[in-house]
Amino acid sequence: MLPTPEPASASASAPGPSPRLPGGDREIESLDEFDEIAAGGSLAGCRVQAIDLMGRTSALTACDATGTVFLGCLMEPSAVDAVRAAGALVFPPVPGLPFDPYRGLLHTPDELFAGLSEGGYEATPDARAYEWFQETKADGDVFSSMLRAIHDDSISDALDELLVSARVVGVMGGHAMARGTEAYEGAARLGRSLARAGFTVATGGGPGAMEAANLGAYASVFREEMLDEALELLAKAPSFTPSVTEWARAAFDVRERWPDGGASVGVPTWFYGHEPPNAFATHLAKYFANATREDGLLARSNGGVIFLPGAAGTLQEIFDAATPNYYESRGEPVPMILVNHEHWTERLPAWPLLQALARGRSMESRIALVERVQDVPAALQGFNQPN
C-alpha cells in the first residue's frame, strides 16, 4: 500500500531509507534526512533536492561535499561558496515560479489547492502554474522549456520511488462524467473494490471518472456507508464547470469530514489545465508534458488497465496501452479491460479493432470487454491467476 502524504504545512516528509542510484549516489528529499546524513560528516555523491538549508550553514561547511549536487536548495551565500569549493554542483532556486522544478516529492491536493478557501481556485498554486504555462509554452524561451522538463523529470523520479513494489491498476475514463450519476457511483465503487483487493489505484488525476475512482480508493478504509454519504454530498456540485472553486470545495468538505482516507495516485497535466486535479488522489504526479504523463501512467499500470466510457482521450489511451502489449516491449502484456459493450462496440467501436489487433498474439488472452464495472474485479482476478 502507498504511504499517506504529510499535510501541506509540513516542511519535510517522514524520514526513511532513500533510494540508491547507480554509482552509489543517494537522494536526500527532506530536512530530517539531511540532518541524519550530515551528522555522519559526509554528503559526498548525494543529490539534495529542494530543501530549505538556510539554517544548516555550519553542517554544510563541515561536511565533505565531493560530487554532491544541490538542486534548488535555499542556502546562505557562504554555504554555497563552501560546498562549491569542496566540489559540489549547485543549481540555485528559481525565484518567482508558482512551482518547484526540483521537487523531490509528488504534489498533494492540499498543496495544489492551497488558498482555495480564501481566494478561490484562481489563487491556488495549481491555477497559477497553469497560467505560467499558458504564458510561456509558445514563447520559444529555452529557459522556460528547460524548467518544465526538469520539473517533469523530477515528478517521474518521485513517482517511481513511490510505486516501488506496488501493484498498480490504471483506471481511465472521461472527465465529463458528472457527480450524482450512476456512472460516477459505479466508478467510485470500482476504485474502492480495487483498493480493498490490494491494488494501487492510478488515474489521470482529473475530474469525472478519474475523480470517482480516486474517491473510491479514498473511501476504502472507511465503513460502507461513508461512500454513500460522500456521493450524496458531492452531487451538490456535480461538475467543475461553471465553478472549479465550488466543485473543489465540495471535495475538501468530504475530506474534512472523513480525513486520512486510503491512498491512490493521480497523474494529471497542465496541458489540460482547464481540467483541475481532483482532491481524492492523495499523491498527484502533475506534469506539463501530456505525452510524458500519458505514457508514464500506462507504463506504471503493471496490474492492468481499465477503460471506462470516455471520448477521444480515453480512446487514445486504449491504443497507447495496446501498442506495447502488441510488441511486448514492456514484457508480458498487461490486462486491458473495456467497460460497457454499447460504448466500445457501437458508439466508439474500439473493441473490434482491439480484437483484430490482438488476434494470434500473446495479448489476445489479456483483453476483455465487460458490461458493468461490477464485472471488472472478477475479470481482473482471472487475468492475475497463476498459469
Side-chain angles (χ1 to χ4, degrees), residues 100-122:
D100 185 351
Y102 301 110
R103 60 180 306 117
L105 304 170
L106 296 182
H107 305 278
T108 67
D110 291 311
E111 176 189 355
L112 289 181
F113 284 101
L116 179 74
S117 298
E118 298 81 11
Y121 176 69
E122 292 73 17

Side-chain angles (χ1 to χ4, degrees), residues 78-276:
S78 60
V80 173
D81 292 341
V83 297
R84 280 178 171 160
L89 186 61
V90 179
F91 292 81
V94 182
L97 290 178
F99 64 94
D100 185 351
Y102 301 110
R103 60 180 306 117
L105 304 170
L106 296 182
H107 305 278
T108 67
D110 291 311
E111 176 189 355
L112 289 181
F113 284 101
L116 179 74
S117 298
E118 298 81 11
Y121 176 69
E122 292 73 17
T124 65
D126 185 68
R128 290 189 287 111
Y130 177 54
E131 183 180 10
W132 177 88
F133 181 40
Q134 290 294 96
E135 292 172 352
T136 63
K137 69 179 182 180
D139 63 9
D141 180 11
V142 67
F143 183 56
S144 295
S145 62
M146 181 192 74
L147 291 173
R148 294 194 296 269
I150 291 173
H151 170 274
D152 285 1
D153 190 66
S154 297
I155 289 295
S156 291
D157 179 66
L159 186 57
D160 283 338
E161 292 171 8
L162 178 73
L163 296 179
V164 170
S165 301
R167 194 66 169 157
V168 182
V169 171
V171 180
M172 312 298 159
H175 68 271
M177 184 184 290
R179 297 167 174 170
T181 63
E182 184 178 344
Y184 185 95
E185 179 181 345
R189 296 193 185 283
L190 172 63
R192 185 174 66 178
S193 295
L194 292 171
R196 287 180 172 176
F199 291 105
T200 294
V201 173
T203 77
M210 297 171 280
E211 181 191 54
N214 287 127
L215 166 64
Y218 188 90
S220 64
V221 299
F222 298 105
R223 56 186 173 82
E224 299 300 308
E225 293 80 5
M226 175 270 175
L227 183 55
D228 296 329
E229 295 173 22
L231 290 168
E232 184 176 348
L233 291 171
L234 291 171
K236 297 175 182 178
S239 174
F240 65 96
T241 58
S243 173
V244 174
T245 300
E246 295 308 311
W247 174 85
R249 282 175 175 164
F252 279 98
D253 286 345
V254 169
R255 286 181 25 145
E256 184 176 354
R257 182 169 177 178
W258 293 282
D260 304 320
S264 67
V265 175
V267 189
T269 174
W270 281 293
F271 184 82
Y272 297 130
H274 58 286
E275 297 178 15

